[in-house]
Amino acid sequence: MQHLLVASSFTFIHLLLVSPQPNLKMVVLVILLAFVAFLCLITWWWQVSCSSYWRVRGVPYIAGFPFIGALRGVVFFQKSVTELFLQLYNDAETKNEPIVGFYFFHKPSLLIRDPELIKRILVKDFNNFPDRRLTPDPQTDGVGFNIMPVTKGDTWKKVRGHISPVFTGVRMKNFFALLSEVAKVFEKKMARDTQNGCHVYDVKDLFGHLTLDMIAICAFGIETNSLSRDSEFYAQVKKITDFTLERSINFNGAYFFPELSPILKFNIIPKSTSNFLRNSIKEVMEVRERTNTMRQDLIDVLIRMKNTNKDVFFGDVLVAQAAIFVSAGYETTSSATSFALYELAKHPQIQEKVREEILKELENGGISYERINKLEYLNMVIQETLRLYPTVPFLDRVFMPTGQQGEFYTLEPHHKFSIPRGMPVYIPVVGIHRDPKFYPDPLTFNPERFRVNERGDRNQYVFLSFGQGPRGCIGARFGMLQVKLALISVLKSFRVECCDTTPRTIRISKKSLIMQSEDPINLIFRKL
């Protein structure tokens, strides 16, 4: 093919030169044809070089579209990121391989399927894979650039070390009391709404408000009351994960093409939300310091960070930790609760079983912090929801060698390939969670998979909704508390049912980087 293109180009030039009286139209035509031939040659070279990179290294390879690579469907909004990683994981020609090569734009990338390799990357050899690829523009998105999932190297270690005390067991117990008070407000709202016996809710919207009220009181000591009125706090936070076309381009660009962030100004926190959070956090911190008030929450931690490490923790670095606490908690918790109720509405026998467990515990003295963690079947329902609907459909790491590791990371004995410095690796969470090898009949909602004996027989690295290792979800216990209280508040008093506008199956939004329903999840709450 390359010989044909080169010959064609020379032919065009020859015609131009030998023509006795070349006119302007002919010149333009020849230039255009030569340019097209050149583009074809570049496209051919790109494809050959992509294939040869993996072929000469003995790595199975998934071919992609020229220049875009495996991201073609995502770039043109023909498929969601969730569908992309399902497709990569289930590729017919490579599905039995522990690793597979592919391209995201210009970047050779590696998909990791084998649970033992996943363990090595996320835990055992974490020091060589400490960072994520996600990188927004630091100039236009100072808050997004400094959130914990984005920070890298020593900065991440310092931030993580200071934020971790927010989630100790003692503080979780204190948070439980605050969460319970918000849950009571939520129950009163549902009681008002269902005076005629039932009410139809868009559950993602409903639990988005509940989740944000819970986070605000626990993290910042403020009452947003978004359940009962329009809340600027809710409107601003929702913008972060409201994947419009613009937000999708920014998020996907920052994740899959971070080298262009400084040029194209990719941001993951909208400017208006950043300004709102800056003003809100500054105001709360100033009041706390002026009144010498302590609540053992995130604001106390941020004040301590500011006062003890001023060279590291200042301005947007502090605001960013509040931003990720709010945005990540809002999205993951509201999504998990919504998907859980959706599946329970479709499986009334499972719903009845978890309700019986809740009512029995209430009869035996009520739900306390200690007792809520003993609701085994409720816990199983939530874990099965997170298996089927993981908020983040993939995990990513970049190989950045430290110490004596050298410039390459060997994958032996699983494969002879060695990962070079700077190569991103991707772990397809949604593909692993829906693999019949690990979870028989994977598309069926079956909480029994998570009984203690079942979990014990299964490799822990095939359940990755909270990640694993040092970069695992820092707020996992807090999020589980929120989901449990939300489900208890509903199921103890209401039967949840599908209605005419309930989606028969969940369609994942093609604009969203995370797993979000394309359609509202409308459900009937019917009084018992």
Side-chain angles (χ1 to χ4, degrees):
M1 179 179 178
Q2 74 271 33
H3 299 301
L4 177 61
L5 291 169
V6 172
S8 299
S9 299
F10 277 112
T11 300
F12 296 143
I13 296 171
H14 174 73
L15 288 173
L16 180 62
L17 293 174
V18 302
S19 178
Q21 292 182 331
N23 57 39
L24 182 60
K25 288 184 178 180
M26 179 179 290
V27 172
V28 172
L29 176 61
V30 170
I31 291 174
L32 286 175
L33 290 173
F35 181 68
V36 170
F38 176 74
L39 286 180
C40 292
L41 181 61
I42 290 295
T43 301
W44 170 85
W45 172 83
W46 180 281
Q47 287 295 90
V48 169
S49 63
C50 287
S51 299
S52 63
Y53 179 90
W54 294 114
R55 187 171 57 252
V56 300
R57 290 164 175 80
V59 177
Y61 167 63
I62 298 175
F65 195 71
F67 307 110
I68 299 175
L71 281 171
R72 177 185 180 182
V74 171
V75 168
F76 295 109
F77 302 107
Q78 297 168 336
K79 68 177 69 166
S80 66
V81 173
T82 296
E83 292 168 318
L84 167 65
F85 278 95
L86 277 171
Q87 179 182 317
L88 291 173
Y89 186 83
N90 294 314
D91 178 68
E93 295 183 6
T94 64
K95 66 179 181 180
N96 295 319
E97 301 288 344
I99 63 172
V100 60
F102 62 98
Y103 271 79
F104 278 162
F105 288 104
H106 66 299
K107 192 75 174 178
S109 305
L110 201 64
L111 192 81
I112 306 292
R113 290 199 184 96
D114 186 87
E116 290 306 311
L117 281 178
I118 292 171
K119 178 181 179 180
R120 281 171 55 180
I121 289 168
L122 296 183
V123 181
K124 183 179 177 182
D125 295 325
F126 168 78
N127 286 338
N128 290 305
F129 295 89
D131 298 333
R132 292 188 171 97
R133 190 156 157 73
L134 175 63
T135 309
D137 174 42
Q139 300 302 317
T140 57
D141 189 10
V143 173
F145 185 77
N146 285 292
I147 62 174
M148 194 188 303
V150 171
T151 53
K152 297 170 173 56
D154 290 339
T155 301
W156 170 80
K157 290 179 182 178
K158 291 176 181 177
V159 171
R160 176 91 179 198
H162 280 81
I163 297 296
S164 292
V166 175
F167 300 101
T168 61
V170 172
R171 283 182 173 166
M172 285 297 101
K173 191 170 183 178
N174 292 336
F175 286 159
F176 178 81
L178 296 172
L179 295 173
S180 298
E181 291 303 312
V182 179
K184 290 177 183 177
V185 175
F186 176 60
E187 290 167 15
K188 290 178 181 178
K189 170 186 168 51
M190 289 190 295
R192 291 193 301 270
D193 292 343
T194 56
Q195 289 180 1
N196 294 326
C198 66
H199 189 82
V200 176
Y201 290 106
D202 174 351
V203 288
K204 179 60 190 300
D205 181 69
L206 175 68
F207 290 105
H209 286 84
L210 171 63
T211 297
L212 198 60
D213 284 355
M214 285 179 162
I215 292 172
I217 193 66
C218 289
F220 313 129
I222 60 176
E223 296 181 2
T224 54
N225 298 318
S226 68
L227 281 165
S228 56
R229 61 178 176 82
D230 292 336
S231 166
E232 178 68 9
F233 200 93
Y234 176 79
Q236 290 295 341
V237 171
K238 190 173 183 294
K239 286 182 181 181
I240 300 175
T241 53
D242 187 5
F243 281 88
T244 61
L245 178 62
E246 179 183 358
R247 300 295 302 132
S248 181
I249 292 172
N250 274 280
F251 255 101
N252 289 338
Y255 238 120
F256 300 121
F257 217 168
E259 295 88 347
L260 284 185
S261 280
I263 300 171
L264 299 180
K265 306 301 180 184
F266 294 137
N267 65 78
I268 58 176
I269 308 291
K271 185 176 180 180
S272 63
T273 302
S274 291
N275 290 335
F276 176 81
L277 289 173
R278 285 189 188 103
N279 294 333
S280 299
I281 301 307
K282 179 182 178 182
E283 181 179 347
V284 174
M285 290 176 68
E286 287 177 348
V287 170
R288 290 283 185 91
E289 290 185 292
R290 187 171 63 251
T291 60
N292 199 27
T293 302
M294 296 188 67
R295 294 177 55 96
Q296 299 299 313
D297 57 11
L298 178 64
I299 293 298
D300 286 352
V301 170
L302 296 182
I303 291 172
R304 186 161 56 251
M305 290 165 66
K306 176 177 72 74
N307 292 336
T308 58
N309 295 270
K310 294 182 179 180
D311 293 339
V312 178
F313 303 122
F314 58 89
D316 281 350
V317 179
L318 295 170
V319 176
Q321 309 326 311
I324 191 60
F325 194 107
V326 172
S327 60
Y330 158 78
E331 182 58 40
T332 55
T333 304
S334 59
S335 289
T337 310
S338 303
F339 285 132
L341 287 173
Y342 171 75
E343 289 295 339
L344 291 175
K346 292 176 63 178
H347 300 87
Q349 71 283 6
I350 297 176
Q351 181 182 159
E352 191 57 37
K353 189 170 181 178
V354 71
R355 180 181 293 108
E356 288 176 3
E357 181 185 58
I358 290 168
L359 293 177
K360 183 177 179 180
E361 196 64 31
L362 288 169
E363 291 172 0
N364 290 335
I367 304 293
S368 64
Y369 176 71
E370 290 77 17
R371 297 171 76 92
I372 197 171
N373 293 313
K374 295 180 181 179
L375 296 173
E376 182 183 357
Y377 198 70
L378 175 63
N379 190 62
M380 290 159 54
V381 164
I382 297 170
Q383 288 185 299
E384 175 66 350
T385 301
L386 294 172
R387 178 198 68 82
L388 196 54
Y389 304 103
T391 303
V392 181
F394 67 95
L395 301 174
D396 70 302
R397 298 290 187 269
V398 179
F399 174 53
M400 298 300 293
T402 57
Q404 302 300 313
Q405 175 62 49
E407 295 298 296
F408 294 88
Y409 179 85
T410 178
L411 296 178
E412 291 183 348
H414 302 278
H415 199 280
K416 64 180 181 180
F417 178 68
S418 292
I419 302 174
R421 172 188 284 272
M423 175 173 281
V425 298
Y426 293 88
I427 298 167
V429 174
V430 66
I432 294 169
H433 283 192
R434 297 186 179 191
D435 188 337
K437 179 170 58 180
F438 305 125
Y439 300 98
D441 195 14
L443 297 183
T444 297
F445 185 77
N446 177 17
E448 298 295 331
R449 304 178 201 275
F450 289 92
R451 286 209 176 274
V452 173
N453 59 329
E454 290 281 340
R455 296 200 307 268
D457 294 336
R458 190 164 49 235
N459 190 310
Q460 72 179 95
Y461 293 92
V462 299
F463 182 75
L464 298 165
S465 286
F466 295 117
Q468 290 279 0
R471 269 200 184 259
C473 178
I474 193 172
R477 286 198 299 170
F478 182 70
M480 287 292 286
L481 267 184
Q482 289 179 281
V483 176
K484 288 176 181 179
L485 279 170
L487 292 176
I488 289 170
S489 292
V490 173
L491 296 175
K492 71 180 182 181
S493 302
F494 300 92
R495 181 173 292 106
V496 182
E497 303 169 354
C498 296
C499 61
D500 292 342
T501 57
T502 304
R504 297 189 64 179
T505 58
I506 296 294
R507 295 188 305 145
I508 304 302
S509 170
K510 292 179 172 57
K511 294 189 183 73
S512 178
L513 183 75
I514 56 182
M515 189 177 282
Q516 290 182 332
S517 176
E518 180 75 23
D519 311 296
I521 303 177
N522 295 323
L523 297 173
I524 300 172
F525 285 22
R526 193 179 303 279
K527 276 187 176 180
L528 293 173

